[in-house]
Short mmCIF file of all heavy atoms in Angstrom, two decimals:
data_model
loop_
_atom_site.label_atom_id
_atom_site.label_comp_id
_atom_site.label_asym_id
_atom_site.label_seq_id
_atom_site.Cartn_x
_atom_site.Cartn_y
_atom_site.Cartn_z
N GLY A 52 214.46 -24.24 -37.70
CA GLY A 52 214.05 -23.48 -38.89
C GLY A 52 212.65 -22.91 -38.70
O GLY A 52 212.40 -21.76 -39.10
N ALA A 53 211.81 -23.67 -38.06
CA ALA A 53 210.42 -23.14 -37.81
C ALA A 53 210.49 -22.01 -36.80
O ALA A 53 209.72 -21.05 -36.96
CB ALA A 53 209.54 -24.29 -37.30
N LEU A 54 211.30 -22.16 -35.78
CA LEU A 54 211.44 -21.05 -34.84
C LEU A 54 211.95 -19.78 -35.51
O LEU A 54 211.50 -18.64 -35.17
CB LEU A 54 212.36 -21.42 -33.64
CG LEU A 54 211.76 -22.43 -32.69
CD1 LEU A 54 212.82 -22.90 -31.68
CD2 LEU A 54 210.60 -21.78 -31.93
N PHE A 55 212.87 -19.99 -36.44
CA PHE A 55 213.37 -18.76 -37.18
C PHE A 55 212.25 -18.17 -38.04
O PHE A 55 212.10 -16.95 -38.10
CB PHE A 55 214.53 -19.15 -38.05
CG PHE A 55 215.00 -18.03 -38.91
CD1 PHE A 55 215.70 -16.98 -38.40
CD2 PHE A 55 214.63 -17.99 -40.28
CE1 PHE A 55 216.11 -15.89 -39.19
CE2 PHE A 55 215.04 -16.93 -41.08
CZ PHE A 55 215.79 -15.90 -40.54
N LEU A 56 211.45 -19.02 -38.68
CA LEU A 56 210.37 -18.50 -39.49
C LEU A 56 209.31 -17.79 -38.67
O LEU A 56 208.72 -16.79 -39.09
CB LEU A 56 209.67 -19.63 -40.28
CG LEU A 56 210.47 -20.17 -41.48
CD1 LEU A 56 209.76 -21.40 -42.04
CD2 LEU A 56 210.60 -19.12 -42.57
N GLN A 57 209.01 -18.28 -37.46
CA GLN A 57 208.01 -17.66 -36.61
C GLN A 57 208.50 -16.37 -35.98
O GLN A 57 207.74 -15.42 -35.92
CB GLN A 57 207.62 -18.64 -35.54
CG GLN A 57 206.68 -19.69 -35.93
CD GLN A 57 206.30 -20.65 -34.80
OE1 GLN A 57 207.10 -20.90 -33.89
NE2 GLN A 57 205.07 -21.12 -34.84
N PHE A 58 209.73 -16.38 -35.48
CA PHE A 58 210.20 -15.23 -34.66
C PHE A 58 211.38 -14.46 -35.29
O PHE A 58 211.65 -13.36 -34.80
CB PHE A 58 210.55 -15.70 -33.25
CG PHE A 58 209.42 -16.42 -32.59
CD1 PHE A 58 209.50 -17.75 -32.31
CD2 PHE A 58 208.26 -15.76 -32.21
CE1 PHE A 58 208.47 -18.45 -31.68
CE2 PHE A 58 207.22 -16.39 -31.60
CZ PHE A 58 207.32 -17.74 -31.31
N GLY A 59 212.06 -15.03 -36.20
CA GLY A 59 213.31 -14.43 -36.75
C GLY A 59 213.12 -13.03 -37.38
O GLY A 59 213.83 -12.11 -37.00
N PRO A 60 212.16 -12.85 -38.31
CA PRO A 60 212.03 -11.53 -38.87
C PRO A 60 211.74 -10.43 -37.88
O PRO A 60 212.33 -9.33 -37.96
CB PRO A 60 210.89 -11.70 -39.87
CG PRO A 60 210.91 -13.16 -40.25
CD PRO A 60 211.35 -13.83 -38.95
N ALA A 61 210.86 -10.71 -36.90
CA ALA A 61 210.56 -9.66 -35.90
C ALA A 61 211.76 -9.40 -35.03
O ALA A 61 212.02 -8.25 -34.67
CB ALA A 61 209.39 -10.08 -35.07
N LEU A 62 212.47 -10.44 -34.65
CA LEU A 62 213.63 -10.25 -33.80
C LEU A 62 214.76 -9.47 -34.52
O LEU A 62 215.58 -8.79 -33.87
CB LEU A 62 214.19 -11.60 -33.28
CG LEU A 62 213.33 -12.28 -32.27
CD1 LEU A 62 213.89 -13.68 -31.92
CD2 LEU A 62 213.20 -11.48 -31.00
N MET A 63 214.85 -9.64 -35.82
CA MET A 63 215.83 -8.91 -36.62
C MET A 63 215.38 -7.54 -37.01
O MET A 63 216.09 -6.79 -37.65
CB MET A 63 216.20 -9.72 -37.86
CG MET A 63 216.95 -11.01 -37.53
SD MET A 63 217.55 -11.86 -39.00
CE MET A 63 216.09 -12.13 -39.94
N GLY A 64 214.13 -7.22 -36.70
CA GLY A 64 213.58 -5.90 -37.00
C GLY A 64 213.15 -5.76 -38.46
O GLY A 64 213.04 -4.66 -38.97
N LEU A 65 212.93 -6.87 -39.12
CA LEU A 65 212.46 -6.88 -40.52
C LEU A 65 210.95 -6.98 -40.56
O LEU A 65 210.38 -7.97 -40.19
CB LEU A 65 213.06 -8.05 -41.23
CG LEU A 65 214.63 -8.06 -41.34
CD1 LEU A 65 215.07 -9.35 -42.00
CD2 LEU A 65 215.13 -6.85 -42.12
#
Side-chain angles (χ1 to χ4, degrees):
L54 286 172
F55 175 76
L56 286 173
Q57 284 181 326
F58 303 113
L62 289 175
M63 294 186 301
L65 298 174

